[in-house]
């Protein structure tokens, strides 16, 4: 994934990135679930907000979300919140899939996911309950960053 490579090397040429994004929408349907999550993360890191491409990306993510790992779910939510792009359908799907798989989430993934929902001011009772249960079950594995993120997120929601 070219955008992921640019993001990990902190390549920043706005013209090149916008050209890639404008053409990327045509091939996103071919991406595997992990490549979709990586693309969302890369676009957020690079600060490239091409709304037509993001709409295509969100639709494709929703259609393949059943195959996302917990980390891919958390990173995808984090990416959209970082870009401050509200896609109700995407967050609805993220919440649904996260609730079903919350016991598989690491403390880091729990914190990133819930931070994203709090940042976007999106309240889902079932997600809140699932994160609370998971946090209680894995509380001894939380580091200071995860604790701080969860406390802030609960306070915001």
């Amino acid at each position: 994934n070219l955008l992921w490579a640019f993001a990990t090397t902190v390549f920043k040429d706005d013209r090149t990135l916008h050209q890639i994004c404008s053409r990327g929408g045509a091939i996103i349907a071919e991406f595997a679930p992990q490549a979709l999550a990586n693309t969302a993360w890369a676009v957020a890191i690079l600060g490239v907000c091409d709304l037509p491409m993001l709409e295509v990306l969100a639709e494709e993510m929703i259609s393949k979300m059943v195959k996302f790992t917990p980390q891919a779910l958390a990173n995808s939510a984090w990416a959209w919140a970082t870009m401050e792009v509200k896609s109700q359908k995407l967050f609805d799907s993220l919440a649904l899939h996260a609730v079903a798989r919350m016991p598989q989430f690491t403390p880091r993934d729990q914190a990133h996911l819930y931070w994203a929902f709090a940042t976007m001011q999106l309240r889902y009772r079932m997600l809140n309950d699932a994160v609370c249960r998971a946090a209680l079950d894995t509380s001894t594995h939380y580091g200071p960053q995860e604790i701080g993120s969860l406390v802030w997120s609960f306070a915001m929601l």
Side-chain angles (χ1 to χ4, degrees):
N1 184 311
L2 191 57
L3 287 172
W4 180 86
F6 286 154
T8 59
T9 61
V10 194
F11 174 86
K12 188 73 168 145
D13 178 346
D14 288 340
R15 189 171 149 231
T16 301
L17 294 172
H18 283 291
Q19 287 176 346
I20 292 168
C21 287
S22 67
R23 294 185 179 125
I27 62 168
I28 286 175
E30 301 171 20
F31 287 10
Q34 188 63 50
L36 293 168
N38 289 350
T39 299
W41 176 85
V43 170
I45 291 292
L46 292 167
V48 180
C49 191
D50 182 87
L51 290 177
M53 192 266 307
L54 290 176
E55 289 173 5
V56 172
L57 181 60
E59 286 299 321
E60 199 59 34
M61 291 172 83
I62 292 166
S63 74
K64 295 178 180 174
M65 200 164 287
V66 71
K67 295 180 182 176
F68 275 37
T69 64
Q71 182 180 8
L73 292 169
N75 288 351
S76 297
W78 176 90
W80 250 256
T82 298
M83 292 184 287
E84 298 178 354
V85 175
K86 198 173 236 179
S87 171
Q88 191 67 49
K89 284 176 57 178
L90 177 66
F91 277 94
D92 288 348
S93 187
L94 285 164
L96 179 69
H97 288 278
V99 166
R101 306 199 17 233
M102 190 55 63
Q104 300 167 2
F105 276 61
T106 66
R108 179 187 169 276
D109 294 336
Q110 293 166 9
H112 281 180
L113 179 88
Y114 209 55
W115 172 89
F117 279 83
T119 297
M120 299 303 288
Q121 290 292 298
L122 294 169
R123 293 169 179 84
Y124 293 83
R125 177 67 185 221
M126 290 185 345
L127 180 63
N128 182 64
D129 293 349
V131 171
C132 285
R133 279 191 304 277
L136 289 172
D137 291 344
T138 59
S139 62
T140 59
H141 302 289
Y142 273 78
Q145 182 68 38
E146 289 88 7
I147 293 169
S149 183
L150 273 182
V151 169
W152 178 86
S153 299
F154 284 123
M156 295 304 294
L157 293 175

